[in-house]
Amino acid sequence: MQFELGKYWHKASWAQKLLCPLMLVLGWGVGMPSTIAAQTVTIRLGPFQQSVAIRDLEKFAKTGKLPEGLELLSPVLNSQVRELLTKRLEVNPAVADRFIDNLVRSPGGRQFISSLGGVIPGSTTESIKATLNFALRQANGFSALSFLRAYPGENITVDATKAVGLAVDFNPNNLQSQAFGLLLERELSVESSIPFKAAFDPAALGNQVVQQQTIVLNDQQRNRIIPVDIYWSQNSSQGNTENPLVVLSHGFGANRRFLSYLARHLASYGITVVAVEHPGSNVDAVGRASDKQNLAQLLAGTEFIERPKDITFVLDELTKLNTQIGQLQGKFNTEKVTVIGHSLGGYTALALVGGEVNLEELRQFCKDSLNIGEAPGDWLQCSAASLR
């Protein structure tokens, strides 16, 4: 399997952003086919305006060569935009109607359709939804080109300025999550005449005073210095190895304090929490990187091995501390441990319980499917492709 290390929309050059919103519609649709489909795209940027035949865009997507007369658009129609145009998403048409219905119910979905309406002057909410739905149902998959082809009318105009704003601010993964979340909530809802009453408010702090201590552990065998923050209840007595133990693993480019709010919250209920810092993928490691622009090279592939080992090493050291006289004696229930991880920390937790990276599938994805439209998490996970 491929572990997602976290997704968010990232900044690209203005040329890429010009056409990116046409790809942001991947995965959404509602409506009816039009008998008159768009044949040309007009790119509008202030006083500049240039029309491009969709068939020429299709040729460019297939061959990488600009048709004669489109040389002026070479800064826009580059190899990276070509990747965006050729990317396809296979969607089961049976869920299209329900998916769009839930999309327009979500705040992010309504905002997206409104913003897309600004990108395409003269469009209406219904025309956009109908185009999305029709393009989503194409037998050869959904793509930016199928959206353009499905748009009603012979020409579709794109306002480049508003397209740039949409590309910068829009988070497609969050929007997709909102739409699917509403769909799942409706599909999985269970009717019951018995009202649910929680025994306590999980958002409220517990009534125990929290103490915190930092220790620095040295794994000499791997030459790794691992700082650890420990949180526990002040009311807990020594010899409390029956209390739950939670280990926190931060995400890429963060540190052990990133989830301190969660650590204190859990400790206020008597839970012992250990926040581990991973030296090869924390904020300091990112700062030391020689090429911060190359996401695929920003994370060492060995971190996918070293991070789980960090947790194992820390637990071994805590077991030793249990037997040593001092403030931390008997604090750690290392026989029953819960690991909570964020982003790359989520991978770390999965790896500890036996999750494996499918390296063959990952290498194939990084070779054939990775492009600028992918989120940084997809680029970062390709660091593991070098492992054997």
Side-chain angles (χ1 to χ4, degrees):
M1 68 178 63
Q2 297 177 28
F3 292 112
E4 296 183 356
L5 309 181
K7 291 177 178 281
Y8 53 92
W9 192 253
H10 60 91
K11 295 182 179 179
S13 68
W14 75 269
Q16 296 157 8
K17 294 171 185 173
L18 185 63
L19 294 183
C20 278
L22 301 180
M23 284 304 299
L24 295 181
V25 297
L26 285 174
W28 309 302
V30 131
M32 53 190 176
S34 171
T35 56
I36 302 177
Q39 301 297 315
T40 60
V41 178
T42 297
I43 300 174
R44 183 187 298 171
L45 182 60
F48 171 80
Q49 190 166 292
Q50 175 70 42
S51 292
V52 182
I54 295 179
R55 65 174 180 272
D56 287 336
L57 287 178
E58 292 173 337
K59 292 178 181 178
F60 167 68
K62 290 180 180 179
T63 66
K65 297 180 180 180
L66 283 174
E68 186 177 353
L70 296 184
E71 291 81 4
L72 290 176
L73 291 177
S74 58
V76 175
L77 301 178
N78 53 30
S79 60
Q80 293 174 316
V81 169
R82 180 193 174 199
E83 293 183 15
L84 288 174
L85 292 174
T86 55
K87 182 179 179 181
R88 294 184 178 275
L89 179 66
E90 300 295 335
V91 179
N92 184 354
V95 303
D97 289 336
R98 287 183 296 167
F99 189 87
I100 285 294
D101 180 57
N102 285 280
L103 180 68
V104 298
R105 292 172 184 268
S106 69
R110 291 193 296 269
Q111 179 61 44
F112 167 70
I113 292 176
S114 175
S115 299
L116 191 55
V119 171
I120 307 174
S123 63
T124 65
T125 299
E126 289 306 315
S127 68
I128 290 175
K129 291 194 295 183
T131 303
L132 292 174
N133 188 18
F134 184 52
L136 189 67
R137 297 173 184 277
Q138 299 306 299
N140 59 348
F142 186 88
S143 69
L145 289 170
S146 67
F147 175 82
L148 295 175
R149 281 292 191 191
Y151 194 80
E154 295 184 354
N155 178 77
I156 177 173
T157 299
V158 175
D159 186 312
T161 302
K162 293 182 179 179
V164 169
L166 179 60
V168 171
D169 298 333
F170 183 67
N171 186 328
N173 301 290
N174 180 54
L175 181 64
Q176 191 173 21
S177 296
Q178 288 187 50
F180 271 125
L182 289 171
L183 177 62
L184 290 173
E185 181 180 355
R186 188 170 62 182
E187 292 292 326
L188 300 178
S189 61
V190 178
E191 294 185 3
S192 174
S193 59
I194 303 175
F196 172 75
K197 293 183 179 179
F200 67 100
D201 180 4
L205 284 173
N207 57 11
Q208 300 190 32
V209 179
V210 176
Q211 286 188 292
Q212 184 262 325
Q213 180 176 339
T214 299
I215 62 175
V216 179
L217 302 176
N218 182 8
D219 187 341
Q220 296 180 352
Q221 184 176 357
R222 296 185 300 139
N223 192 29
R224 283 169 78 92
I225 304 297
I226 304 175
V228 174
D229 286 346
I230 302 171
Y231 303 80
W232 73 94
S233 167
Q234 187 177 20
N235 297 334
S236 299
S237 59
Q238 288 188 350
N240 62 347
T241 52
E242 295 303 314
N243 285 0
L245 174 63
V246 171
V247 176
L248 300 182
S249 176
H250 64 78
F252 173 74
N255 57 38
R256 67 187 186 280
R257 306 262 165 81
F258 185 75
L259 298 174
S260 60
Y261 70 94
L262 177 59
R264 291 187 176 278
H265 189 93
L266 294 175
S268 72
Y269 284 94
I271 298 172
T272 303
V273 182
V274 176
V276 177
E277 183 146 348
H278 301 282
S281 50
N282 59 2
V283 62
D284 294 333
V286 175
R288 293 191 301 267
S290 57
D291 185 3
K292 297 181 177 61
Q293 302 302 316
N294 189 343
L295 289 175
Q297 301 298 322
L298 199 55
L299 175 66
T302 53
E303 275 301 288
F304 289 84
I305 297 174
E306 299 301 337
R307 272 178 152 259
K309 288 185 177 181
D310 288 343
I311 304 297
T312 300
F313 170 76
V314 168
L315 290 176
D316 288 342
E317 293 300 300
L318 296 181
T319 301
K320 297 176 184 177
L321 286 174
N322 270 338
T323 63
Q324 298 176 4
I325 298 176
Q327 193 176 28
L328 299 177
Q329 183 179 16
K331 293 288 185 189
F332 310 108
N333 185 355
T334 54
E335 295 301 317
K336 295 181 180 180
V337 181
T338 298
V339 180
I340 298 175
H342 170 256
S343 192
L344 186 54
Y347 156 79
T348 305
L350 289 172
L352 284 165
V353 295
E356 296 182 1
V357 178
N358 188 325
L359 292 176
E360 182 178 350
E361 182 178 327
L362 179 63
R363 293 188 189 106
Q364 194 69 32
F365 167 80
C366 298
K367 177 183 177 182
D368 299 335
S369 303
L370 193 63
N371 57 56
I372 64 170
E374 301 296 337
D378 283 335
W379 287 84
L380 289 171
Q381 71 173 349
C382 287
S383 302
S386 62
L387 298 176
R388 299 296 176 187

